[in-house]
Amino acid sequence: MEESQAPVVLLHGVGLDRSMWDALIADGALWLAGREVMALDLPGHGGQPHLRTPTTLAKMADDVARRLPPRAHLVGFSLGALIAQELAARAPERILSLVCVSSVCDRTEAEADAVGRRLRTARGDFAASAEAAVERWFPETDRVAPHLVEQVREVLLSNDRESYLHAYQVFATGDRDAANALPLITAPTLAVTGSDDPGSTPEMTLRLGRLVPGARTLVVDGARHMLPLEQPEQLARLIAEFADEAERKMHHASTD
């Protein structure tokens, strides 16, 4: 496979599934034209087998790695970003570029306590936890079409509870493991988040940028956590342009 034909692979966040990328693929079709775009379900999500035992970031990355093309541009959102970081550090020959969307990074003690409380809420009252997530992601109804918000709610509530809790445990604690891997990443890397994201904050994106050699960071003004739904066309453009740039650099390096 020539690098110019390398697909873009999209990894969603905890409790969601590959359908969260539908708007980005549709609205960003002009920018992504000519590329194969693959949206994968994470372990325990969507069409993948349920998780019946505790798992780890490394195990989730192993599962995704078996379903990746030989070489790809990898885009991860939230938990998907942590898995993408693990893959980029472990298999640099397979990852041509890395885009981390709304990624947590090396949480402080206060940030770890906050996500720990959300995990405990999910264990005690899953439905209330799902509704709180929707309200946190979409506090203003004019940012995202109501039918898309309802689709996210339905996907969250349809989760297998045990699978969700095992995956959320990884999301709540795996950022420390991911942070240890970040300095090993050699793929061109872009970290992007919304200026108003209360969980995957701009400061986390800056941390990620400091830990990955040569990484770029971008904070989208006025956006919150769900960038693939709030700004699908803009995010698709960023992904496509970043992949194009990475391929041009590889081509120039190979011809020098």
Side-chain angles (χ1 to χ4, degrees), residues 80-97:
L82 296 182
I83 293 171
Q85 292 157 23
E86 177 80 8
L87 289 167
R90 184 191 306 178
E93 72 285 355
R94 298 183 63 185
I95 308 304
L96 303 179
S97 70

Side-chain angles (χ1 to χ4, degrees), residues 92-220:
E93 72 285 355
R94 298 183 63 185
I95 308 304
L96 303 179
S97 70
L98 172 66
V99 179
C100 301
V101 183
S102 305
S103 179
V104 297
C105 181
D106 199 16
R107 292 183 179 97
T108 65
E109 184 175 347
E111 290 163 347
D113 287 344
V115 74
R117 288 193 297 273
R118 293 199 292 273
L119 176 57
R120 290 191 292 274
T121 298
R123 286 174 174 153
D125 189 338
F126 175 80
S129 170
E131 191 58 40
V134 173
E135 292 175 0
R136 188 168 62 251
W137 296 339
F138 307 109
E140 300 171 15
T141 57
D142 61 342
R143 293 196 185 199
V144 176
H147 76 277
L148 294 177
V149 175
E150 186 57 32
Q151 178 180 319
V152 169
R153 178 181 284 108
E154 290 175 0
V155 170
L156 276 173
L157 290 173
S158 69
N159 271 276
D160 173 76
R161 308 297 198 263
E162 185 177 358
S163 295
Y164 176 85
L165 292 173
H166 287 319
Y168 205 100
Q169 177 69 40
V170 173
F171 173 66
T173 60
D175 57 299
R176 299 297 171 86
D177 293 334
N180 291 331
L182 294 179
L184 304 177
I185 294 174
T186 57
T189 299
L190 171 65
V192 55
T193 197
S195 64
D196 301 336
D197 191 332
S200 304
T201 63
E203 173 55 33
M204 290 186 186
T205 286
L206 296 177
R207 283 178 215 158
L208 202 159
R210 290 192 292 267
L211 288 169
V212 178
R216 296 183 198 169
T217 60
L218 176 64
V219 176
V220 179

